[in-house]
Amino acid sequence: MLFHVRMDVNIPVDMPAEVASEIRSREKAYSQELQRSGKWRHIWRVVGEYANYSIFDVESNAELHDILTALPLFPYMKISVTPLCRHPSSIRDDDA
């Protein structure tokens, strides 16, 4: 199942810099692990915002929920999810 996910990050301004840096480091490692596994297929930064648009390829709504809630930055995120399905006019075989 494919999902389009927008993540807006809002780290509290009073969070100590070293704590924020450590959380971002864990977030990067986790997201790259998911990208290597094929679960997190694409990630794009939103210009001028601390936000991203991503495409996830997972087995179920529950799996996506588990992945998103395990993100180290999850407590500081606003997330919106849109389920996707293959468009009949698509010429790509790998976008199922």
Side-chain angles (χ1 to χ4, degrees):
M1 299 177 72
L2 294 176
F3 294 90
H4 171 270
V5 179
R6 177 176 170 127
M7 295 177 238
D8 292 272
V9 182
N10 187 16
I11 295 176
V13 294
D14 60 345
M15 180 180 286
E18 62 276 0
V19 173
S21 179
E22 189 273 332
I23 293 170
R24 282 193 295 270
S25 178
R26 287 189 292 120
E27 180 86 9
K28 182 176 182 177
Y30 180 55
S31 71
Q32 289 179 344
E33 173 187 325
L34 289 165
Q35 289 173 67
R36 282 189 282 281
S37 76
K39 300 284 183 187
W40 197 326
R41 286 179 71 176
H42 302 282
I43 182 170
W44 294 276
R45 183 185 320 206
V46 179
V47 176
E49 300 180 34
Y50 194 171
N52 74 73
Y53 286 113
S54 294
I55 302 295
F56 286 84
D57 188 357
V58 294
E59 294 298 318
S60 66
N61 294 336
E63 182 182 16
L64 179 63
H65 178 80
D66 291 344
I67 286 170
L68 295 176
T69 57
L71 290 167
L73 284 170
F74 178 77
Y76 313 105
M77 288 182 174
K78 176 185 173 201
I79 298 174
S80 58
V81 177
T82 304
L84 301 172
C85 64
R86 188 175 195 282
H87 195 284
S89 296
S90 176
I91 62 170
R92 301 193 187 277
D93 293 329
D94 66 345
D95 64 357

